[in-house]
Amino acid sequence: MVKLKKYNGFLKLFVIFLTLFFIFSCSPKQYNLTKIEGKQLPITEKGPQTPEIESFIKPYRDHINKDLDSVLAYCPETLDKSVGKWQTTIGCLMADVCVQRGNLVFKKRENKTIDLCLLNHGGIRAILPKGNVTTRTAFEIMPFENNLVVLGLKGEQIQEIAAYIIKEKKPQPLSGMTFTIAKDKTAKNIMIQGKPLDLNKIYYVATNDYLANRGDNMNFFGKSVEKYDLNYKLRDVLIDYFKEVDTIPVLKDIRITEE
């Protein structure tokens, strides 16, 4: 019994010694940061759902889906930005709508008229499918929070717009302006609202705020002499247009020709 007590006492002291050793040897002061690693944890619909959260969210989700899926208009054929060399049906539609709806604000606020509109091909994010057109359709086509902006440009900058379109070789959405691409890849016969370009005139050009700030290398917008932010999101421009038409027109007019 004496030996066992001595052994137990020694064991307890040994345990205490080891505990103190690890406490002091593992003090935070002994740690040095040598590397930070991270990994992406994707959030997908496959993750586990919490019934309580789902039941709380459901009424709001149903209300939003009802608004998004409400039918606003009808499109007789699919409008696709990938179909067309210098212009597309959806691009022409969007540019025309920006002029039409933008003028409702611009005329009332500034007593001036938009002459033309230039948007960017890459800004169109989805097709306008054949069939019923909904609010969700507008969100898919224009998911960004871009505002409609009107810039006052001199005639020289209008020439730069034509040169930009030719150089980029993409069907940029264009409205209110037509021209011909000559064999030497320059623009000629530039017409604004059916009238020859006047280099001494100030033209009011509608675009979005991203492009107005020289996005997509549209540096000519940085040379504007006037600027007006209409505080009108391009997505809302589309939604308001869809609400006021029964059937969306499929535009077939030619705006850019080649020799």
Side-chain angles (χ1 to χ4, degrees), residues 63-258:
H63 178 72
I64 291 173
N65 285 334
K66 183 179 179 181
D67 287 343
L68 288 176
D69 294 329
S70 58
V71 177
L72 306 179
Y74 177 80
C75 189
E77 66 179 74
T78 297
L79 308 186
D80 191 336
K81 75 171 187 177
S82 65
V83 180
K85 182 178 181 181
W86 293 110
Q87 64 185 62
T88 65
T89 50
I90 189 171
C92 290
L93 175 70
M94 288 190 62
D96 281 3
V97 171
C98 284
V99 172
Q100 177 186 328
R101 299 293 308 179
N103 263 329
L104 297 177
V105 178
F106 196 51
K107 287 180 180 178
K108 183 176 181 180
R109 183 185 301 176
E110 305 295 336
N111 196 28
K112 297 176 180 179
T113 302
I114 296 171
D115 295 296
L116 64 138
C117 175
L118 174 68
L119 301 174
N120 57 328
H121 178 260
I124 303 173
R125 309 304 288 188
I127 63 171
L128 181 54
K130 178 181 179 180
N132 290 334
V133 177
T134 65
T135 302
R136 190 185 299 276
T137 308
F139 272 84
E140 291 171 347
I141 294 173
M142 188 58 59
F144 311 113
E145 298 299 308
N146 294 117
N147 279 347
L148 190 62
V149 173
V150 179
L151 301 172
L153 297 183
K154 296 180 180 179
E156 292 179 0
Q157 278 68 66
I158 303 303
Q159 290 179 320
E160 291 182 44
I161 287 177
Y164 174 88
I165 292 173
I166 296 171
K167 179 182 177 182
E168 290 295 310
K169 299 179 181 179
K170 293 179 181 178
Q172 313 289 354
L174 183 67
S175 176
M177 174 178 175
T178 62
F179 63 91
T180 298
I181 302 174
K183 293 181 180 179
D184 62 355
K185 303 303 180 184
T186 59
K188 69 177 189 178
N189 300 329
I190 299 176
M191 308 286 284
I192 307 297
Q193 294 296 332
K195 297 179 180 180
L197 175 67
D198 184 350
L199 294 179
N200 298 314
K201 182 179 178 180
I202 300 298
Y203 292 95
Y204 293 103
V205 184
T207 189
N208 64 52
D209 52 356
Y210 166 71
L211 300 177
N213 291 318
R214 304 187 182 191
D216 276 14
N217 295 316
M218 293 191 182
N219 296 319
F220 41 81
F221 281 141
K223 303 174 185 179
S224 64
V225 294
E226 298 176 48
K227 184 176 182 179
Y228 306 89
D229 189 337
L230 302 188
N231 294 315
Y232 196 179
K233 295 189 186 303
L234 265 70
R235 181 174 57 246
D236 292 336
V237 169
L238 279 179
I239 292 172
D240 290 344
Y241 174 75
F242 292 156
K243 287 179 178 179
E244 73 173 10
V245 298
D246 178 66
T247 301
I248 294 171
V250 180
L251 305 172
K252 301 291 186 180
D253 59 308
I254 306 301
R255 304 181 183 190
I256 300 175
T257 58
E258 292 182 88

